[in-house]
């Protein structure tokens, strides 16, 4: 839900409450409940992938990781202690509120971990990966060229393919740039473009899987002789996912 839509809904809810008072008629009571449900429902987000991030309007990042426990490999206590130690070491060097462990839950067969990062820079540094969240202009200053094809998106539905110049039509739009694979949820706004190595889950959530649609082509057996190994930089570029979103 955008900030504008949230403000309108909150104002409507306040108006209904004031009109109703303690003796709120059944009709107003029902409307108040519906508005509360709508506000709450819009805020709810449940990841579909095992590694997911949600980006808030203040730039903070919430990461949710889920995995199945293999008792022959994992020791839950050791895993929790390791994460606590690594977060503590990072905060000691970068500030006490850089990363917080919001939850560490396990049921004997699976584990779910939720971490909060004060900024996308903290996420990138702690996980030793590429992660940008900000404006398109800011991303260009950081050296991102956007030179890839994009899908146009409307209300969570993927549309036609366009070249990278199309995303510059609204320079006030935000952009998230990540390394696949992961699920990315934008807390404020709706996605308007995604690079073609991703797919939409909903209007504000993207499966940044890094997978391109392959064109069918004739492959000769002898072609494999001339195949070159993919370099680290080439693989990094291939797995870089761009997500453009608008707050309007």
């Amino acid at each position: 839900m955008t900030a504008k839509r949230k403000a309108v809904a909150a104002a409507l809810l306040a108006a209904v409450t004031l009109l109703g008072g303690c003796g709120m008629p059944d009709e107003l009571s029902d409307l108040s409940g519906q508005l509360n449900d709508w506000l709450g429902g819009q805020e709810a987000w449940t990841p579909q992938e095992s590694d997911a991030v949600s980006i808030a309007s203040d730039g903070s990042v919430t990461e949710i990781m889920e995995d199945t426990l293999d008792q022959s490999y994992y020791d839950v206590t050791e895993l929790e202690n390791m994460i606590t130690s690594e977060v503590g070491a990072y905060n000691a060097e970068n500030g006490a509120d850089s990363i917080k462990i919001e939850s560490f839950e396990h049921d004997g067969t699976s584990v779910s971990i939720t971490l909060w990062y004060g900024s996308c820079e903290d996420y990138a540094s702690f996980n030793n990966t590429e992660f940008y969240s900000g404006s398109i202009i800011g991303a260009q200053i950081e050296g991102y060229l956007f030179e890839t094809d994009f899908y146009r998106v409307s209300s969570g539905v993927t549309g036609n393919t366009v070249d990278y110049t199309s995303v510059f039509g609204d320079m006030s739009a935000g952009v998230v740039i990540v390394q696949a694979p992961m699920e990315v949820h934008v807390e404020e706004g709706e996605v308007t473009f995604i690079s073609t190595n991703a797919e939409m889950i909903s209007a504000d959530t993207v499966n940044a899987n890094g997978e391109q649609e392959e064109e069918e082509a004739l492959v000769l057996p002898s072609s494999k002789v001339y195949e070159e190994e993919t370099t680290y930089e080439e693989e990094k570029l291939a797995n870089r996912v761009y997500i453009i979103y608008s707050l309007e």
Side-chain angles (χ1 to χ4, degrees), residues 46-52 64 66 182-183 199 201 206-207:
T46 302
Q48 295 185 13
E49 303 298 321
S50 58
D51 190 2
I64 299 176
E66 297 181 353
M182 69 169 64
E183 180 178 331
E199 61 183 7
I201 294 176
V206 176
N207 180 10

Side-chain angles (χ1 to χ4, degrees), residues 29-186:
S29 179
D30 290 342
L31 179 57
S32 176
Q34 291 172 14
L35 283 172
N36 266 316
D37 291 343
W38 185 63
L39 278 169
Q42 291 292 326
E43 292 301 309
W45 168 66
T46 302
Q48 295 185 13
E49 303 298 321
S50 58
D51 190 2
V53 295
S54 179
I55 301 164
S57 57
D58 63 1
S60 62
V61 179
T62 299
E63 178 183 28
I64 299 176
M65 298 172 285
E66 297 181 353
D67 200 1
T68 302
L69 287 171
D70 181 351
Q71 293 296 338
S72 63
Y73 179 77
Y74 284 111
D75 181 285
V76 174
T77 302
E78 288 183 2
L79 178 61
E80 185 172 12
N81 289 341
M82 180 186 70
I83 293 173
T84 301
S85 176
E86 291 180 353
V87 169
Y90 184 91
N91 287 344
E93 185 174 345
N94 298 279
D97 294 327
S98 298
I99 305 176
K100 298 176 183 178
I101 302 174
E102 292 198 335
S103 67
F104 185 100
E105 302 173 354
H106 63 90
D107 59 8
T109 59
S110 62
V111 61
S112 177
I113 306 165
T114 302
L115 299 180
W116 176 92
Y117 302 83
S119 68
C120 62
E121 291 83 5
D122 288 318
Y123 180 93
S125 179
F126 184 75
N127 292 284
N128 191 29
T129 189
E130 183 176 53
F131 195 100
Y132 175 86
S133 177
S135 66
I136 290 179
I137 294 176
Q140 290 177 310
I141 293 173
E142 290 290 326
Y144 292 102
L145 301 178
F146 292 78
E147 292 183 341
T148 186
D149 288 334
F150 285 81
Y151 289 128
R152 193 182 298 275
V153 178
S154 178
S155 300
V157 179
T158 303
N160 59 306
T161 305
V162 296
D163 66 31
Y164 72 98
T165 59
S166 298
V167 308
F168 301 138
D170 180 10
M171 296 302 289
S172 66
V175 57
V176 179
I177 305 170
V178 301
Q179 282 289 305
M182 69 169 64
E183 180 178 331
V184 180
H185 171 254
V186 180

Side-chain angles (χ1 to χ4, degrees), residues 1-21:
M1 181 189 294
T2 65
K4 184 184 296 182
R5 288 172 61 195
K6 184 188 294 183
V8 170
L12 285 171
L13 180 59
V16 169
T17 302
L18 287 172
L19 285 171

